[in-house]
Each structure stands twice: as structure tokens, then as C-alpha cells.
Amino acid sequence: MQKSLETFLSEKLNQTEEKKRLAIVIKAIAESVKQVAIMVGTAPLAGQLGKLNNQNVQGEQQAKLDLLTNDCFVANLEACEAIAGLVSEELDEAILLSRDTSRPNYLAVFDPLDGSSNIEVNVAVGSIFSVLKVPSGRATQVADFLVKGTEQVLAGYAIYGPSTLLVFTFGEGVQVFTLDRDKQEFILTQENMHVQEDTQEFAINASNARFWEPPIQQYVDECQAGTTGVRGKDFNMRWIASMVADVHRILMRGGVYLYPKDNKMPLKAGRLRLLYELNPMSWIIEQAGGKSSTGRERVLEIMPTEIHQRAPIIIGSKKEVERVVRYYQAFDVLK
Ligand code: MN
Ligand code: MN
């Protein structure tokens, strides 16, 4: 028997008001994902590809679809009674919503379209989301978003590829749902995902090699040396440059994804954003038995100071991430 998202939520999140309201949040996100799937699928027909002339708060040129997908998530989440605040990659400031403070309320943080710089070449893009709890009994403050990733109560992503998938965790493993396009309904297709501990695949933007720190140079050199080096086995390299697609591959068949600190742009050392890219992906991979680190600390333990802050990441198969962390420790001791 196929299990729909609706049925799954009514079985797993029906005990308390807190859980029931979290289920409502998941439904609002799932609704956004369905709409975005249609949007990205029909963008060339609707004349919605291409860049705009404006930049977002992070100085990145926005694509038309960045804004359209952002508007879609904002509309669905603002209409959700259990959501009391929003932060989006595409919005400079947090949106605070007034809600009944006697009830359990949540904050949604999201990247509405990850990989949008690749949208013209028709590779998989995605959406990433993270949900936090509002401290009970009071209105939302911007500071409520500035908590460690360990405080997340829901995290996940959608990937718009050959299939549209919705992948999420609320702390009881990682489940994968596939969109039935005819019925416009998500169906549970994989349960309790587990990331292989060992791997022979790594993913890094090698064009930045000259800006890497020695631990990353060493790790990649050793992978490339393959059977002729200390690793004693050959590796493959993969790099889609769409974080969702790269991390999804790791969830499915193992591997390690590295966007390390480098000295290319010292102010953007670690390019990806903590709240709505690194934290949700880190929790997903940890829930599936993998690891996620900056090289020097667990990503989920970083205390954020601003909503759009960036951090480095090494994420994926447990033993590979642990190896990179050992190289950092050895390097930092010598410094
Ligand atoms: Mn992104
Ligand atoms: Mn984005």
C-alpha cells in the first residue's frame, strides 16, 4: 500500500498540539514545493528564465525564479497559522508575524531555489528549509532565529529533478517522498535513510584549489592519488554545483561534499549560508548516520550572529568527514 504524506503525518505527528501544528507547517512547505515544481518545470515556456538586474542582500545576482519561488514560499507560509516568522535567502530582513502566542508557533527559514545560477542548463535545482520553535508565550523576535542548528525541529529539502522529491526529518530519521504529478500528492518512497560510512566519491569545486588550506589540499591530493597513494583505492569526483543535488547524491549512495574555508574572498570564507543551507543539510545527513563539520567544529553547534551568515562545510560519509577533521586538528596543532 502506498503511503501519502497526509497519512504519514496523521500517523507520526498526531499526539500533541505541538506536533499537529508542525504537521501543518510541513503541509504548507509541501504545497510550496508542488507549486515551485510546476514553476521550474514550465519556466522556459512562461519566459521566466534569466537574471534580473538587482542583487540580493548577499551581493548575488538574482534570477527571475529566485523571486517567483520566494514569493511562493512566503505566501504559503504566511497563510500558515503555525508560522510566526520567516527568513529567506532572498529577503534582506526577517518577516515577523503576529500569531496567537498561547499556541505552539514556528519559524521557517529557507532557500527557495538552490542552484538557481544553473537554472538555464536544466540541471536539478532545489529548495532547502529549516524550522525552529518560537519560545512559548511571547511574540517572535529576530533573535529567535539566531540559535544553533541543534535547535531545529524540522529540516529538509525538495529536489526538482527527473522526479520531484521532498526529503525531511523531524528527528526520527530521514524520509523521502516522491511527487505523484498526476494526483499532485507526495508518496513515501524511501524510509529511514542511511549514509554509507565509507565512500569512493568526493565533491569539491577544484577550481578553488589554490585558495584551500593545507588539510583540504592533503585530503584531495590523497583521493586523487587513488590506488597509488595512502588511501589505496581510486576515487571519483562529482560536482553539480547545486548543493541540494550534491547532498542528495550523498544521501542516496554516500560520498563527501566540501565547501571549505579558503582564502579567495576572506570575508566570505565558507560561501554557503548557515541558517538555510548548512544547518538543514547537516541535520538531514546526521539523522542518516553521516557527519557535518566546518573542519574545526560541528556545523550544528555554531552559534549564529546574523541571519545570512556563512560558514564552511565538509559533509557526508562519517569516516571521510572524520578524516578531514583529523587533518585540520593536525594542522592547527602545528600552526
Ligand atoms: Mn542555495
Ligand atoms: Mn537560492
Side-chain angles (χ1 to χ4, degrees), residues 259-291:
Y259 214 120
K261 176 174 180 282
D262 62 34
N263 56 22
K264 187 179 184 181
M265 288 183 282
L267 292 176
K268 293 182 181 179
R271 202 185 63 92
L272 297 170
R273 273 61 53 97
L274 179 62
L275 263 54
Y276 42 82
E277 291 178 319
L278 304 192
N279 276 342
M281 290 314 209
S282 296
W283 199 29
I284 288 276
I285 292 299
E286 286 197 5
Q287 275 285 309
K291 284 211 159 189

Side-chain angles (χ1 to χ4, degrees), residues 227-273:
T227 50
T228 68
V230 295
R231 301 302 306 268
K233 60 180 183 182
D234 288 331
F235 281 76
N236 278 319
M237 201 187 87
R238 295 285 181 272
W239 182 254
I240 304 173
S242 176
M243 190 206 194
V244 162
D246 279 305
V247 173
H248 183 68
R249 183 189 59 252
I250 289 170
L251 185 70
M252 292 295 134
R253 67 176 194 204
V256 60
Y257 172 93
L258 308 96
Y259 214 120
K261 176 174 180 282
D262 62 34
N263 56 22
K264 187 179 184 181
M265 288 183 282
L267 292 176
K268 293 182 181 179
R271 202 185 63 92
L272 297 170
R273 273 61 53 97

Side-chain angles (χ1 to χ4, degrees), residues 89 111 113-115 128 243 272-273 277:
E89 179 187 21
D111 174 354
L113 193 59
D114 180 66
I128 312 175
M243 190 206 194
L272 297 170
R273 273 61 53 97
E277 291 178 319

Side-chain angles (χ1 to χ4, degrees), residues 132-189:
L132 302 163
K133 188 120 198 344
V134 183
S136 56
R138 63 163 176 79
T140 314
Q141 303 166 1
V142 176
D144 297 335
F145 291 94
L146 301 177
V147 295
K148 293 178 181 180
T150 49
E151 298 295 310
Q152 294 173 105
V153 293
L154 168 73
Y157 59 87
I159 179 163
Y160 313 103
S163 307
T164 292
L165 307 182
L166 178 63
V167 179
F168 64 82
T169 185
F170 42 80
E172 295 176 23
V174 179
Q175 326 303 335
V176 178
F177 294 82
T178 302
L179 181 62
D180 180 327
R181 287 188 171 133
D182 295 328
K183 294 184 184 149
Q184 283 296 299
E185 187 176 62
F186 281 102
I187 305 294
L188 182 62
T189 43

